[in-house]
Amino acid sequence: GAGVSQSPRYKVAKRGQDVALRCDPISGHVSLFWYQQALGQGPEFLTYFQNEAQLDKSGLPSDRFFAERPEGSVSTLKIQRTQQEDSAVYLCASSRSGVSHEQYFGPGTRLTVT
Amino acid sequence: AQSVTQLGSHVSVSEGALVLLRCNYSSSVPPYLFWYVQYPNQGLQLLLKYTTGATLVKGINGFEAEFKKSETSFHLTKPSAHMSDAAEYFCAVRPSNFGNEKLTFGTGTRLTIIP
């Protein structure tokens, strides 16, 4: 079946612009995660949904970052007034409900803020 | 709280030689442990995971890892390296209790295979 898809794959934004990154999880996966991966680093947790409920947003770096999953499927990560430090790869992952299920990752969106 | 330390940001091995990538973790509750591989411009692919049961876990592409609670380690090994193993490898940990599913990753180890 289809894996996790993300769009766009690459995004260049001028500093101060707003961006929206989309994630389509695997069909039927209840949990959805966003991670930020800076160059040369491991992914860092941003936020987590179970269905449409955002259960943990402790990793969002500032109030310029906002995520939603209104119908419990597709999710959008929005960054307002982008800054150069926002340049990174944004990874989305989904998983089935349950404690031991692994997360399946999408290819990521590489955001470059100029 | 959880954390992961991967010793060695770069590891080089000859084709056919043993691969050993080190991972140590810290967790306040019994952990679940994972190894992921990342090829250039791609997302992460799960190699193997430890949740419960047997502490020696076998994964895809001939990799395996052993959970050693006393050493708080989960090192990744492969007996014979192949050129296709060249990639970035990430160890990750999450708590085993329900409701806390976020992964904490190490900083990664870039594996280079020498022909």
Side-chain angles (χ1 to χ4, degrees):
Chain A
V4 178
S5 61
Q6 294 186 245
S7 60
R9 289 293 313 277
Y10 303 90
K11 177 69 178 177
V12 178
K14 292 188 189 308
R15 191 169 57 140
Q17 283 185 331
D18 298 348
V19 298
L21 312 180
R22 177 187 169 106
C23 173
D24 285 81
I26 293 172
S27 178
H29 278 194
V30 170
S31 300
L32 185 145
F33 306 80
W34 284 98
Y35 295 86
Q36 180 190 58
Q37 186 176 20
L39 189 64
Q41 300 297 314
E44 292 194 355
F45 172 80
L46 293 177
T47 187
Y48 153 53
F49 291 85
Q50 195 166 80
N51 295 306
E52 67 275 9
Q54 190 173 18
L55 298 187
D56 186 345
K57 54 182 181 180
S58 62
L60 295 176
S62 77
D63 58 7
R64 296 185 295 104
F65 286 71
F66 172 76
E68 60 183 7
R69 194 186 185 197
E71 297 179 357
S73 179
V74 171
S75 177
T76 304
L77 176 67
K78 297 179 179 179
I79 309 172
Q80 297 177 324
R81 305 181 303 281
T82 52
Q83 303 295 315
Q84 281 197 316
E85 61 263 29
D86 300 335
S87 296
V89 175
Y90 291 85
L91 296 167
C92 176
S94 69
S95 73
R96 297 189 187 124
S97 178
V99 180
S100 66
H101 291 297
E102 62 260 34
Q103 297 178 21
Y104 293 84
F105 283 79
T109 294
R110 181 178 298 277
L111 172 65
T112 303
V113 181
T114 61
Chain B
Q2 298 81 43
S3 67
V4 174
T5 301
Q6 290 185 242
L7 289 176
S9 59
H10 291 84
V11 171
S12 296
V13 302
S14 297
E15 190 175 14
L18 172 72
V19 176
L20 171 61
L21 305 183
R22 299 179 186 275
C23 172
N24 288 86
Y25 70 90
S26 172
S27 178
S28 54
V29 298
Y32 287 169
L33 294 157
F34 304 81
W35 274 99
Y36 282 87
V37 62
Q38 187 175 36
Y39 297 99
N41 297 317
Q42 295 186 27
L44 283 75
Q45 179 184 8
L46 182 70
L47 279 177
L48 48 79
K49 66 177 181 180
Y50 169 78
T51 54
T52 58
T55 56
L56 181 63
V57 179
K58 294 187 185 298
I60 62 172
N61 301 338
F63 285 94
E64 62 182 36
E66 186 170 12
F67 170 58
K68 292 187 176 180
K69 184 178 178 181
S70 61
E71 299 177 8
T72 61
S73 69
F74 191 57
H75 301 330
L76 181 71
T77 61
K78 181 173 180 177
S80 177
H82 193 271
M83 295 300 294
S84 61
D85 295 328
E88 187 94 22
Y89 291 81
F90 293 95
C91 181
V93 64
R94 57 155 287 196
S96 56
N97 53 305
F98 185 76
N100 192 347
E101 299 186 34
K102 68 182 182 185
L103 290 170
T104 299
F105 286 87
T107 52
T109 297
R110 181 170 299 278
L111 177 64
T112 300
I113 309 299
I114 304 166

